[in-house]
Amino acid sequence: MTETDRPEPDVDVVVVGAGIAGLYLIYRLSRAGYRLRVFEAADDLGGTWYWNRYPGARVDVPSIDYMYSFDPDWQRDWQWSEKYARQPEILRYLNHVADKHDLRRHLTFSTRVRQAGWDDDASLWRVRTDRGDDVTARFVVMATGCLSVPKQTEIDGLERFTGEVYFTSRWPHDPVDFTGKRVAVIGTGSSGVQSIPIIAQEARQVVVFQRTPTFSIPAHNGQLSPERLAQFAANEADYRSAARMSPGGIPMERSITPTFSVTETEREQRYERAWEIGELFEAINVYADVMSNPAANHEFAEFFRNKIRAIVDDPQTATDLCPTDYPVATKRPCLDTNYYATYNLPHVRLVNIRKHPIRQVTETGIDTTDESFTFDAIVFATGFDAVTGAITEVDIRGRNGLALKDKWANGPQTYLGLTTAGFPNLFLITGPGSPSVLSNMAVSIEQHVDWVLDCLGHLCARGFAVIEPTETAETGWTQHVSDCADITLFPAANSWYMGANVPGKPRVFLPYCAGVDFYRASCDEVVAHDYLGFTLSGRGGTECNDGVVRRLQPDVEMVLNRMAAMNLPTMESMPVEDARAFYNQMSAVRPPGPDVGEIVDGTLPGTSGALAYRLYRPPTTPGPRPIIVYFHGGGWVVGDAISDDPLCRDLCVRSDAIVISADYRHAPEHRFPAAVDDAMAAVRWVADNAEALGGIPGLLAVCGWNAGGGLAAVVCRLARDMGGPNIIGQALLTPSTDGDMARASFTDNADGYGLTTALVRWLYDHYIDIADRRDPRFAPLRATDLSGLPPAIVVTAEFDPVRDDGDAYAIALEAAGVPTEHVRARGHTHKSVTMVDVAISGAPVRARIAKALRQFFAATRTPEPAS
Ligand code: FAD
Ligand code: NAP
């Protein structure tokens, strides 16, 4: 079918849902002149705030932040009555906005979209509803909400119960009177925490059935804080813009202070302040590493637990209310008013159903395994099939009849959380892979809708009718979303963020957790690069600038961004002495790395005088350990025995071996092959003195990073050829193994990833003459025979000029019959894997290095039985 043959659709856009997202879509689409239909299952607008009318329902983000920003004169006709508005007020606000901007006329209520199918020939969607509508549209936008599909009850016998049954997520419109009644509440997430204190004010008896306790902080509701009001009043436009560029959608500086970099007293004061302020985002932001460092998180969690113990009178109830099996904030924390104190009331009781599981609902109440309760009413506050539930509930069929539900059977895949491959012209507002539920959703929704509108405008202006993400872009984004989660503690909890609350739902971290600011930057970058990762087609032909928008590990990218912002001079622009001072200065501000059992500084005889070494002994049981001789990085020019201190500590602890970081002479004072001679001398000395150093004679491996990785490789070959010492394994971390700068990695990664090609050239030139660069003592890759070398682990980094050197060396070792584990560190740079406690994504790579070293030692300790 040609473009001109194509049938005109009934409308340009079908929008599903009339919550905050649906309403803003109507505002933008109608003003831009699009023809639209908007279907809403409820009989009125408001979404979340239409459905969740339970007692105590209110926002957990200050109202002044949780509102639209598109209406600059809103203050003329609207005022928030308190810091955290209640549900009726929010619903009134949404109705007010709809009326003020005449949005209601586009809405079709009491109509559920059941099906949406893509007609590839006609390039349009056919949308069907439960009321018989059959509408064709060029685009479909799912504004169906992240928390709009209530979870099934999963508790036997509910149909037998003769009393009243309520779901917080489907609360009746008429007020429910609990006066004098015996009420059960099941569920202690945000909805339970908000409703329990209010229900307890009326009811004769309240029994709360708790499966997992929650972390909750007091909301201290009332007037908005004077600081925020002042900030807001000074300039609303700046305030809103700061919200858009913030981590969570509320103006706030991201904390960069690690927990344990300040004193215990200071930390206690900081936690106390967060408790007093009563704002969730503020609380999570107390220290930079609360969501990534288990020890930091544990301390913060303990602060919460102490608060609970201090409020709740009955010690057993207090213990049951203290969460202990997941890190704080890995499940959505709650904001409450008198939640914990409610358990001090004589008619309120907590039943820990992990200890006393619910057996069934009976005609008159609830039976646990060891008690029968009688109730007049049961309230279910049991949550939602979150993020994906409302999307997969609709039978959405993309190209070739592919069902979205099937495509997402093992977890959702999206590009930017906004689109999904195989489903052209389908947009998801706050879909999986967007910051959505981890952010102030009002800000995220506006950003999504704005992006969609810009995209439609672009298609129209360029004569394109269809847009669809590529598999490459989608796979890249899905990987990035998961990388972001993997450097946090989020995956450690059985949360609805992980899909863990719904039996059978795949365990995938659903939202994007790197922040609204980073997310927005990605969306903007995609547009700036001609819709990177999208295929656009139509009258104007087909265009695709395929690619992946985020390829670096998220924490590595943050470090690089921070370094770039500092605008530091390059080392190669400095005299060598200054470069060394600069290198040391940069090293001084790193986190120290883990504690080891003992550190001993000493000297050993080099080929031309004493060489410094630092010995790290593991903190485990006393007794001799295997030894790893480590050679530091620094391109033969900078660095010393202690310059890789955090890495050596980490290596020592993880491998449970003694690490001896041995210095070597540096260029330009001592050019090639001085460093090699010293490295060889160091290994010999350590082997000869293994026992005195606390080592196990014969259990000696070498390791090195960068130039040190090259030295470790060279030493292995020299030891083989010189008849000793016996080295049983080699761990080479982004090693320099060749002098050939014509390799692609030198051009692909010439700039921007820490080690630049210009710096490599500067280091080579200081160290070695061009004529010597094929000497295998500099370029072990050039050795004619690599057979018989010790087993190896070779780590290469994706964004590293010397990546191809290392790759080639790993391949050459394998080809020579050397057992070799080749780890390609995806999204890493030359240095990032060594950044202990800074680039958390490097930790699994270091764990693999340590594991390999342990295996080298174990294989030597336990010889293979004779066959
Ligand atoms: P929703 O408000 O969920 O609206 C989606 C609409 O789509 C619903 O009305 C639904 O009926 C309709 N729909 C779904 N499927 C179909 C279909 N197939 N056919 C027709 N219609 C359909 N976020 C915050 O940032 N701060 C808060 O303080 C906060 N508090 C919350 C409190 C509660 C009780 C809950 C449940 C959530 C809260 N959230 C909060 C998250 C909240 O969901 C979002 O902030 C926001 O309201 C979502 O708006 P939305 O328009 O995307 O989705
Ligand atoms: P939720 O956080 O998922 O909490 C559901 C609760 O029910 C949990 O305690 C859960 O225990 C329990 N539960 C679920 N199934 C159960 C079963 N079969 N038996 C016993 N207990 C069961 O749901 P929610 O409280 O409705 O909140 C969902 C999200 O909506 C919040 O996280 C928040 O984002 C938003 N919300 C915000 C506010 C606000 O303050 N503004 C208010 C309400 C909701 P487990 O933890 O063990 O699964």
Side-chain angles (χ1 to χ4, degrees):
M1 203 180 285
T2 68
E3 201 53 44
T4 43
D5 294 338
R6 287 203 173 124
E8 252 313 285
D10 299 328
V11 291
D12 298 314
V13 188
V14 162
V15 173
V16 192
I20 295 181
L23 294 180
Y24 186 48
L25 277 159
I26 300 175
Y27 176 81
R28 289 290 318 265
L29 289 164
S30 59
R31 268 151 191 75
Y34 292 99
R35 295 169 305 135
L36 61 148
R37 285 294 299 274
V38 185
F39 294 109
E40 167 55 59
D43 63 10
D44 207 344
L45 57 80
T48 289
W49 304 103
Y50 168 92
W51 294 110
N52 294 264
R53 296 164 187 252
Y54 59 84
R58 56 170 88 241
V59 265
D60 61 6
V61 162
S63 306
I64 205 150
D65 299 287
Y66 186 75
M67 64 180 295
Y68 293 117
S69 74
F70 70 79
D71 186 4
D73 74 344
W74 68 274
Q75 292 198 67
R76 281 204 308 174
D77 42 40
W78 187 260
Q79 248 181 5
W80 293 109
S81 65
E82 51 188 344
K83 175 177 165 189
Y84 295 114
R86 291 198 310 125
Q87 173 271 334
E89 186 172 1
I90 303 162
L91 189 58
R92 271 202 309 282
Y93 167 72
L94 294 176
N95 275 281
H96 161 75
V97 171
D99 293 339
K100 178 173 176 182
H101 298 284
D102 190 20
L103 309 180
R104 216 174 259 283
R105 70 194 157 91
H106 299 278
L107 280 157
T108 307
F109 289 121
S110 303
T111 307
R112 182 170 288 281
V113 170
R114 290 278 183 220
Q115 213 190 21
W118 174 251
D119 178 340
D120 211 17
D121 288 336
S123 290
L124 48 77
W125 284 95
R126 181 171 288 281
V127 177
R128 294 195 170 92
T129 75
D130 62 354
R131 302 277 291 261
D133 302 273
D134 184 347
V135 181
T136 55
R138 190 69 69 209
F139 302 95
V140 169
V141 188
M142 299 295 282
T144 42
C146 293
L147 297 159
S148 57
V149 175
K151 198 170 79 84
Q152 304 291 319
T153 53
E154 304 144 16
I155 295 174
D156 286 344
L158 184 58
E159 66 291 346
R160 281 200 295 266
F161 184 60
T162 52
E164 302 156 34
V165 176
Y166 300 103
F167 290 82
T168 51
S169 52
R170 290 290 179 268
W171 203 260
H173 289 207
D174 295 329
V176 176
D177 185 5
F178 288 117
T179 309
K181 291 184 180 157
R182 293 159 298 180
V183 184
V185 181
I186 301 177
T188 51
S190 303
S191 303
V193 163
Q194 285 186 331
S195 56
I196 288 163
I198 311 285
I199 294 173
Q201 286 170 13
E202 287 180 357
R204 169 152 61 104
Q205 184 204 12
V206 175
V207 179
V208 177
F209 292 87
Q210 172 193 273
R211 187 163 72 184
T212 309
T214 191
F215 288 98
S216 186
I217 61 171
H220 300 300
N221 200 12
Q223 290 298 307
L224 197 70
S225 81
E227 296 82 30
R228 175 159 283 147
L229 271 179
Q231 200 188 353
F232 189 78
N235 188 337
E236 182 179 349
D238 285 354
Y239 184 90
R240 299 288 183 213
S241 151
R244 290 182 197 112
M245 300 315 296
S246 70
I250 296 178
M252 193 171 70
E253 287 286 317
R254 196 180 241 106
S255 170
I256 52 166
T257 312
T259 300
F260 299 112
S261 67
V262 299
T263 64
E264 198 178 335
T265 315
E266 201 175 318
R267 299 201 295 272
E268 217 27 61
Q269 287 166 351
R270 183 77 189 82
Y271 301 148
E272 201 61 57
R273 215 163 51 242
W275 182 266
E276 284 312 317
I277 291 171
E279 291 191 18
L280 283 186
F281 288 62
E282 185 66 31
I284 298 165
N285 195 41
V286 281
Y287 290 110
D289 52 355
V290 167
M291 293 310 295
S292 56
N293 176 352
N297 189 286
H298 178 81
E299 181 176 280
F300 195 34
E302 196 52 26
F303 169 83
F304 277 89
R305 289 188 281 263
N306 285 335
K307 286 288 184 193
I308 298 170
R309 292 178 198 119
I311 298 169
V312 178
D313 296 339
D314 174 50
Q316 186 55 52
T317 306
T319 302
D320 285 339
L321 283 167
C322 284
T324 50
D325 64 353
Y326 63 95
V328 57
T330 53
K331 287 175 100 134
R332 174 92 171 187
C334 304
L335 264 193
D336 73 90
T337 302
N338 297 330
Y339 175 63
Y340 295 118
T342 296
Y343 291 96
N344 294 336
L345 298 173
H347 65 294
V348 178
R349 179 174 162 197
L350 182 75
V351 174
N352 178 345
I353 63 171
R354 287 206 196 274
K355 286 198 220 144
H356 313 283
I358 293 178
R359 253 187 343 110
Q360 58 178 346
V361 176
T362 64
E363 278 183 16
T364 53
I366 292 176
D367 285 354
T368 62
T369 44
D370 37 13
E371 207 172 338
S372 282
F373 295 85
T374 304
F375 294 116
D376 303 303
I378 302 177
V379 174
F380 285 89
T382 41
F384 301 87
D385 180 355
V387 186
T388 52
I391 301 170
T392 53
E393 209 179 54
V394 179
D395 180 15
I396 304 177
R397 307 243 162 199
R399 284 192 200 282
N400 307 315
L402 175 65
L404 186 57
K405 200 176 175 148
D406 293 342
K407 177 181 167 178
W408 286 4
N410 296 319
Q413 295 132 276
T414 68
Y415 186 32
L416 302 173
L418 276 160
T419 58
T420 185
F423 297 80
N425 289 5
L426 174 74
F427 295 101
L428 315 169
I429 303 300
T430 62
S434 83
S436 64
V437 290
L438 296 178
S439 65
N440 169 5
M441 289 202 55
V443 167
S444 287
I445 285 169
E446 280 194 344
Q447 185 261 340
H448 267 193
V449 172
D450 291 343
W451 194 94
V452 171
L453 262 291
D454 289 350
C455 174
L456 298 188
H458 176 81
L459 297 179
C460 190
R462 298 284 312 279
F464 293 119
V466 180
I467 182 163
E468 183 186 348
T470 66
E471 297 279 353
T472 306
E474 176 168 286
T475 305
W477 184 256
T478 305
Q479 180 69 61
H480 176 59
V481 172
S482 148
D483 287 345
C484 291
D486 287 348
I487 57 171
T488 71
L489 300 169
F490 277 116
N494 288 326
S495 64
W496 60 259
Y497 298 147
M498 290 291 294
N501 64 330
V502 175
K505 194 166 171 173
R507 290 287 177 102
V508 173
F509 190 73
L510 296 167
Y512 178 72
C513 67
V516 165
D517 43 0
F518 286 106
Y519 174 76
R520 180 182 289 271
S522 296
C523 292
D524 292 350
E525 236 170 276
V526 165
V527 174
H529 290 94
D530 298 324
Y531 283 84
L532 175 70
F534 282 104
T535 304
L536 286 67
S537 55
R539 261 189 295 114
T542 294
E543 244 181 47
C544 179
N545 176 20
D546 202 1
V548 171
V549 64
R550 288 283 171 263
R551 294 176 60 205
L552 282 160
Q553 289 289 341
D555 46 2
V556 174
E557 177 142 22
M558 281 184 210
V559 172
L560 289 175
N561 287 346
R562 225 172 277 159
M563 299 290 289
M566 287 158 80
N567 213 6
L568 299 166
T570 61
M571 288 223 292
E572 64 272 24
S573 66
M574 302 177 193
V576 167
E577 275 317 309
D578 292 359
R580 286 178 184 152
F582 175 74
Y583 192 75
N584 291 342
Q585 232 177 335
M586 297 303 291
S587 300
V589 295
R590 294 169 303 188
D595 288 338
V596 295
E598 188 190 20
I599 285 187
V600 180
D601 288 328
T603 55
L604 59 86
T607 35
S608 157
L611 295 171
Y613 74 80
R614 173 167 280 190
L615 179 148
Y616 304 81
R617 209 178 301 283
T620 46
T621 45
R625 323 285 329 150
I627 299 181
I628 301 162
V629 179
Y630 176 83
F631 299 112
H632 68 81
W636 307 274
V637 175
V638 300
D640 54 36
I642 62 169
S643 59
D644 292 344
D645 199 59
L647 176 64
C648 290
R649 287 166 177 270
D650 189 82
L651 190 63
C652 169
V653 171
R654 286 180 190 274
S655 62
D656 193 28
I658 294 167
V659 173
I660 298 178
S661 171
D663 205 2
Y664 46 88
R665 283 169 295 162
H666 295 108
E669 298 86 340
H670 307 281
R671 286 168 65 86
F672 172 81
V676 179
D677 294 342
D678 286 349
M680 198 58 207
V683 171
R684 276 205 197 96
W685 181 82
V686 171
D688 291 347
N689 294 277
E691 208 164 344
L693 292 164
I696 303 172
L699 288 190
L700 176 73
V702 291
C703 177
W705 165 57
N706 168 285
L711 288 174
V714 169
V715 159
C716 286
R717 191 183 51 78
L718 293 179
R720 178 199 66 182
D721 296 347
M722 294 173 172
N726 186 31
I727 299 173
I728 60 159
Q730 49 179 327
L732 313 179
L733 181 47
T734 58
S736 173
T737 61
D738 194 15
D740 180 5
M741 294 180 70
R743 292 177 189 279
S745 54
F746 278 99
T747 31
D748 293 351
N749 309 303
D751 215 352
Y753 302 112
L755 180 68
T756 62
T757 298
L759 179 56
V760 175
R761 185 170 293 113
W762 183 82
L763 294 165
Y764 282 2
D765 290 347
H766 278 304
Y767 179 52
I768 187 166
D769 293 342
I770 288 177
D772 289 333
R773 291 189 192 176
R774 299 176 79 82
D775 188 315
R777 288 173 302 165
F778 169 71
L781 184 61
R782 304 276 164 179
T784 45
D785 177 16
L786 296 176
S787 64
L789 291 177
I793 176 165
V794 182
V795 176
T796 56
E798 188 178 0
F799 298 96
D800 179 2
V802 301
R803 175 197 65 206
D804 292 353
D805 274 32
D807 285 349
Y809 194 61
I811 291 164
L813 284 175
E814 263 170 10
V818 177
T820 302
E821 182 181 353
H822 184 185
V823 180
R824 294 172 196 265
R826 182 179 50 77
H828 277 281
T829 64
H830 183 71
K831 191 176 171 68
S832 58
V833 167
T834 74
M835 294 176 174
V836 177
D837 294 337
V838 175
I840 293 153
S841 55
V845 179
R846 295 195 306 275
R848 280 179 76 175
I849 296 173
K851 185 174 170 206
L853 285 160
R854 282 170 181 263
Q855 282 169 347
F856 299 152
F857 297 133
T860 307
R861 273 181 170 142
T862 336
E864 292 285 310
S867 54

